[in-house]
Amino acid sequence: MNTTVRMTLAAMIPLILIVSMNSCLEEPRTVHRCCPSWPFVYNDPTGTPPEISTISDTMDIDGTRLYLSSELWRNFMPMTPPDCTSLVAYIKIIDCDSTAIPQGVEVECVWVINGGKVWSSWLADEGTAEADDYEMAMIARCGPAWDVDTEADVIVRVKYEGDSNYIRQTSVEITKVE
């Protein structure tokens, strides 16, 4: 074996060791073939949602009236592996009068209810969309593979000054991105 081949092999061995060691160190909750970087894979991190009939379509926080705008979809684009088409929930909390949302409002978690099935997740601000001061946009990924062209109800928990507030949107269509 010549010197160049030996040096190349010697340089590759630490790289192979590092890659194999890191694959063993991942926490089980972050190991997800389709969402490897999404930290919220467990189905029920948020507890049981309140009864949807007790929640309003709008909420008042510090004199500001807010409503929920939700989008639910599954990604079937050609480059998406067939078993990686999990549900995504993109939600916006929007001020009804397009005035600024009070400081300190936190959009915390979401429940998506499809018949008798419930998927819950913490919400994340991925900074994907530039929001105006009268709206807050958040996203949840790695949901179930529910049928597209069906409807689900969405409940979001909003925290303000230590209080939990809930808002809902009913009959949100689960769409298909192709």
Side-chain angles (χ1 to χ4, degrees), residues 45-57:
T46 58
T48 305
E51 175 58 43
I52 195 161
S53 63
T54 64
I55 303 169
S56 176
D57 295 331

Side-chain angles (χ1 to χ4, degrees), residues 17-131:
L17 288 172
I18 290 170
V19 169
S20 63
M21 285 175 25
N22 282 341
S23 66
C24 296
L25 295 176
E26 290 186 50
E27 292 179 32
R29 71 180 182 84
T30 62
V31 176
H32 192 282
R33 175 175 143 64
C34 307
C35 304
S37 62
W38 186 255
F40 312 120
V41 174
Y42 282 150
N43 184 43
D44 191 18
T46 58
T48 305
E51 175 58 43
I52 195 161
S53 63
T54 64
I55 303 169
S56 176
D57 295 331
T58 61
M59 72 170 60
D60 291 315
I61 292 183
D62 202 18
T64 302
R65 189 163 202 74
L66 307 172
Y67 70 95
L68 174 63
S69 174
S70 308
E71 295 177 37
L72 303 173
W73 72 82
R74 291 183 52 208
N75 185 349
F76 291 92
M77 293 181 75
M79 73 278 199
T80 304
D83 59 341
C84 294
T85 61
S86 58
L87 186 67
V88 174
Y90 179 74
I91 69 102
K92 283 186 179 181
I93 302 293
I94 303 172
D95 179 82
C96 292
D97 298 321
S98 298
T99 58
I101 293 176
Q103 293 293 317
V105 171
E106 297 176 37
V107 183
E108 192 173 50
C109 59
V110 63
W111 292 271
V112 181
I113 304 161
N114 183 346
K117 301 173 281 190
V118 177
W119 169 56
S120 64
S121 180
W122 297 108
L123 287 159
D125 178 2
E126 293 181 352
T128 55
E130 194 64 34

